[in-house]
Amino acid sequence: MDLSVNLPRGLRLKNPIIAASGTFGFGPEYAAYVDLNQLGGISVKGISPKPWRGNPPPRVWETPAGLLNSIGLQNPGLATFIEEDIPFLASVDTAVIANIIGHTVEEYRQVAERLSQEERIDAFEVNISCPNVKEGGISFGHDPRQAFLVTQAVRSVTEKPVMVKVSPNMAEPWVVAQAAVDAGADMISAINTLVGMAIDLKRRRPALGGVTGGLSGPAVKPVALRVVYEIASRVSVPVIGMGGIESAEDVLEFFLAGARAVMVGTVTFQYPERMLSIIEEIPKVWRRYGFQDLPEAVGAAHLDKEGEPG
Amino acid sequence: MKNAFKASIVARDEVAPDHVELILSSPELEDAQPGQFCHVLTPGMLRRPLSFSRLDRKRGRAGVLLQVVGSGTAWLYERRVGEQLDLLGPLGRGFEPPDPSRPWLLVGGGVGIPPLYAALQCWQAAWDQPLGVILGARAATAVIMTKDFQDRGVYPLVTTDDGSLGRFGTVMGPFLEWMDRYPESQVMACGPTGMLAALHGAAKARQGSMQLCLEQRMGCGIGACLACVVPAQPIGEEGPCYRRVCTEGPVFQAEELVF
Ligand SMILES: Cc1cc2nc3c(=O)[nH]c(=O)nc-3n(C[C@H](O)[C@H](O)[C@H](O)COP(=O)(O)OP(=O)(O)OC[C@H]3O[C@@H](n4cnc5c(N)ncnc54)[C@H](O)[C@@H]3O)c2cc1C
Ligand SMILES: Cc1cc2nc3c(=O)[nH]c(=O)nc-3n(C[C@H](O)[C@H](O)[C@H](O)COP(=O)(O)O)c2cc1C
Ligand code: FES
């Protein structure tokens, strides 16, 4: 089975499995555990113009079937990424997606403009949906007008493919997705984490240093599928799905909901090699449910489509 | 791949109530260093970090000694000889070897004791300078590894918070006495944050060097997620910077840290 995926503006993935931003560092960290050349792509940790310090620890907390995090987008900044990480990424044969963040529209634009000159960057993922930073991030992600302006600013400085990452923390996420598409987004990725919190009984305090955090892992999969389904049925561009994926069956569910590729995050912490076994399993699982090739499954669960029951 | 592997449990010892030491065997453990840890798969969403309690590198064996504090450690406590554990490791920056020309002091609290024993085991041979070990615990029932130290001819000074064994109080009393006697000492310490903060504070005013082995909640354990940070130097406008325990630690020089 041909696992390659063709996305807008010539973005071609070897297979539909991309490492999700923030769970896979900048690439080299997992190189001793995963053959990076076998991945469809890597979405690197969010990059801002200047270094960000991030939130106070503790930054992770386990919940039933889930993980809460409040990393707060700590990152070494654009210059360090270019000097230290791009040379490594140049040695890897997989799609590299630069996840970008900023406090202001101008900061998003700066990162996109500079990285647009880097041959090794194959696409951008504009993160307007991180629940762990007070200014920037989420404030753009919950306001369609702001989402439009951020996307437009990025679009204006790059010819590379641009996807905008949407938050699930609102009733109608497709409104923001549509605004991003109106501003020139080539793709939508969804979902980022769900805002939540935990209490540490021993300390009688919020468990996370950042008080609230973002929930990921299998616990969020039903929410993610709903958001992907709704967006895919309303916007015209390809959707990259994620949220709680642990198996090739999960990937197929996202495809049926309308995704054309997926990202895999939290499960990597437990099983670093899981993305590779998912890739290996895809043909078998696709056939088991009656699909002969990848695209055939895209959106097949939508009620307006004539689905053949497997 | 090389750093992700399964290790067999070849021995299991209930060393104190709710404490168990498991001896693991796998060729990947030949590279383990004192102060390093492994990230152990348990049924939860995250792996559990555990320090090496002893090393037998020639045979590819290493111990982990854990206290049951929650679901993951309770599951590990139930594991039996012959079963396998799924590990990432050896991980992190371990202890710098001690300088053989100066006195050496090990200070451990609770389940911070195991990595110090591994350090002693590794570097004790041919040690002729003064060598001290101070072990602290809540109560007599949580004092671990004293016999292991004694078997190597090193007699730990024990303190308990409730006075049920050894000296009443914390490790700070004997620590300060030792440092008055041997001000040039190099200290290696591991234990609860409160203990490390007190040692860190006391070390500032002194000339010896100090290495501290830290704990923090972890995600990946390999440097990718930035979950496991602690406040560290340099202190900038917004406060201390954050450094990763899993890769830049767990062992830090005291002057690198901010408590
Ligand atoms: C580098 C390092 C070395 C360690 N070495 C040892 C050791 O040799 N022996 C030992 O008994 N313990 C050690 N610990 C602590 C040990 O990792 C925790 O006790 C254990 O993770 C608790 O898991 P749990 O499921 O039983 O507890 P739960 O409270 O149910 O765990 C919930 C989550 O919190 C995390 N967590 C809870 N307490 C700690 C803690 N103190 N440090 C880090 N994460 C924590 C767990 O990993 C898990 O993700 C070490 C920790 C670190 C960071
Ligand atoms: C520790 C952690 C850090 C993350 N950091 C980022 C980030 O920097 N940028 C981003 O767009 N998403 C970030 N995410 C969200 C993931 O990319 C993904 O959207 C989410 O975790 C859902 O997928 P999963 O359930 O497979 O993890 C992070 C998630 C986790 C768990
Ligand atoms: S636990 Fe992920 S960076 Fe340390």
Side-chain angles (χ1 to χ4, degrees):
Chain A
M1 188 179 286
D2 179 9
L3 291 186
S4 65
V5 179
N6 290 309
L7 292 165
R9 292 187 190 244
L11 178 61
R12 189 183 151 85
L13 311 178
K14 278 182 198 172
N15 61 63
I17 306 297
I18 304 166
S21 177
T23 64
F24 211 70
F26 292 103
E29 295 88 348
Y30 269 110
Y33 301 87
V34 184
D35 178 2
L36 306 178
N37 301 309
Q38 292 185 41
L39 297 174
I42 297 173
S43 180
V44 300
K45 179 77 194 160
I47 305 155
S48 50
K50 292 264 147 41
W52 284 13
R53 183 167 170 258
N55 288 334
R59 289 178 171 183
V60 283
W61 195 266
E62 210 180 58
T63 66
L67 175 66
L68 272 171
N69 88 79
S70 75
I71 309 294
L73 298 176
Q74 178 176 343
N75 82 95
L78 179 61
T80 306
F81 173 68
I82 292 169
E83 269 165 46
E84 292 177 12
D85 298 300
I86 291 198
F88 170 82
L89 290 166
S91 70
V92 178
D93 178 23
T94 189
V96 175
I97 301 170
N99 183 283
I100 59 180
I101 51 176
H103 290 124
T104 60
V105 171
E106 173 56 20
E107 289 191 359
Y108 280 94
R109 197 191 60 77
Q110 272 176 29
V111 180
E113 184 168 39
R114 177 63 189 82
L115 290 181
S116 197
Q117 302 159 21
E118 294 292 329
E119 215 180 308
R120 188 59 274 246
I121 303 301
D122 297 299
F124 289 105
E125 180 174 44
V126 184
N127 180 5
I128 53 167
S129 45
C130 178
N132 291 326
V133 286
K134 301 284 172 287
E135 357 140 22
I138 204 85
S139 58
F140 297 109
H142 287 177
D143 177 350
R145 205 178 54 90
Q146 293 289 328
F148 181 94
L149 293 174
V150 172
T151 311
Q152 189 184 45
V154 171
R155 178 78 290 159
S156 70
V157 294
T158 186
E159 295 299 318
K160 294 188 198 272
V162 172
M163 67 183 84
V164 173
K165 188 164 180 180
V166 172
S167 165
N169 300 303
M170 26 182 189
E172 300 184 329
W174 53 87
V175 176
V176 164
Q178 185 59 53
V181 172
D182 292 342
D186 303 303
M187 289 165 275
I188 297 295
S189 58
I191 58 173
N192 209 316
T193 53
L194 279 146
V195 66
M197 84 180 283
I199 305 285
D200 182 352
L201 288 176
K202 287 182 197 147
R203 290 188 300 122
R204 305 184 185 177
R205 286 287 178 277
L208 295 170
V211 182
T212 61
L215 186 65
S216 63
V220 310
K221 199 183 89 179
V223 177
L225 282 168
R226 171 253 177 185
V227 173
V228 168
Y229 185 93
E230 303 271 18
I231 292 178
S233 59
R234 285 173 166 85
V235 306
S236 53
V237 301
V239 179
I240 315 296
M242 78 196 91
I245 292 175
E246 293 197 313
S247 66
E249 282 84 353
D250 291 339
V251 176
L252 181 54
E253 285 188 50
F254 274 88
F255 267 65
L256 265 63
R260 297 249 230 128
V262 296
M263 299 198 187
V264 175
T266 304
V267 72
T268 301
F269 297 159
Q270 271 174 305
Y271 302 101
E273 76 302 340
R274 178 61 62 86
M275 281 187 282
L276 302 187
S277 54
I278 291 177
I279 294 165
E280 208 180 296
E281 291 277 306
I282 283 177
K284 214 171 23 176
V285 169
W286 247 245
R287 285 195 199 100
R288 187 184 311 144
Y289 290 94
F291 297 101
Q292 300 316 313
D293 60 24
L294 277 188
E296 198 186 337
V298 176
H302 283 256
L303 292 177
D304 53 347
K305 299 240 167 76
E306 286 173 44
E308 284 281 313
Chain B
M1 286 207 168
K2 187 174 173 290
N3 305 310
F5 58 94
K6 293 209 164 55
S8 307
I9 302 173
V10 294
R12 177 183 184 281
D13 187 10
E14 292 178 17
V15 298
D18 289 333
H19 287 69
V20 72
E21 185 170 22
L22 304 174
I23 307 298
L24 308 174
S25 172
S26 179
E28 288 80 0
L29 294 168
E30 285 166 14
D31 302 330
Q33 300 291 331
Q36 286 192 303
F37 68 100
C38 53
H39 214 22
V40 187
L41 187 67
T42 67
M45 285 302 299
L46 293 172
R47 289 170 176 261
R48 287 350 189 214
L50 293 171
S51 300
F52 296 120
S53 56
R54 67 182 78 229
L55 301 172
D56 179 353
R57 289 189 291 219
K58 277 198 213 97
R59 289 205 289 167
R61 289 184 174 189
V64 289
L65 194 167
L66 60 100
Q67 179 187 11
V68 176
V69 296
S71 62
T73 46
W75 181 85
L76 287 166
Y77 188 86
E78 294 303 321
R79 308 283 50 88
R80 294 290 178 260
V81 170
E83 293 185 45
Q84 291 197 317
L85 294 181
D86 182 315
L87 307 185
L88 305 182
L91 298 173
R93 169 170 76 154
F95 290 106
E96 292 277 324
D99 167 359
S101 69
R102 292 194 292 142
W104 184 20
L105 177 64
L106 301 168
V107 187
V111 287
I113 294 168
L116 300 175
Y117 178 75
L120 181 78
Q121 210 195 10
C122 192
W123 293 307
Q124 184 190 15
W127 194 267
D128 58 3
Q129 291 286 313
L131 166 59
V133 178
I134 304 171
L135 305 181
R138 275 176 295 107
T141 50
V143 177
I144 51 171
M145 299 195 99
T146 44
K147 181 152 186 316
D148 293 291
F149 284 97
Q150 287 164 2
D151 288 347
R152 306 192 72 87
V154 181
Y155 292 82
L157 199 151
V158 174
T159 68
T160 49
D161 297 348
D162 64 356
S164 54
L165 188 73
R167 263 218 240 176
F168 176 81
T170 72
V171 296
M172 288 311 287
F175 169 74
L176 293 171
E177 287 162 25
W178 175 278
M179 293 304 286
D180 284 343
R181 216 164 133 202
Y182 304 109
E184 304 256 281
S185 287
Q186 44 201 332
V187 181
M188 295 182 186
C190 185
T193 309
M195 180 191 112
L196 298 183
L199 290 170
H200 183 259
K204 266 190 199 152
R206 294 170 182 273
Q207 48 187 189
S209 65
M210 183 180 275
Q211 301 184 54
L212 300 175
C213 183
L214 266 58
E215 284 184 4
Q216 186 53 279
R217 286 170 187 267
M218 291 185 178
C220 65
I222 60 129
C225 74
L226 297 165
C228 62
V229 299
V230 290
Q233 300 286 356
I235 301 180
E237 273 167 33
E238 297 172 292
C241 74
Y242 288 125
R243 293 178 63 184
R244 295 164 298 182
V245 168
C246 71
T247 37
E248 294 164 88
V251 178
F252 292 89
Q253 301 291 336
E255 57 274 15
E256 295 177 293
L257 297 169
V258 177
F259 280 91

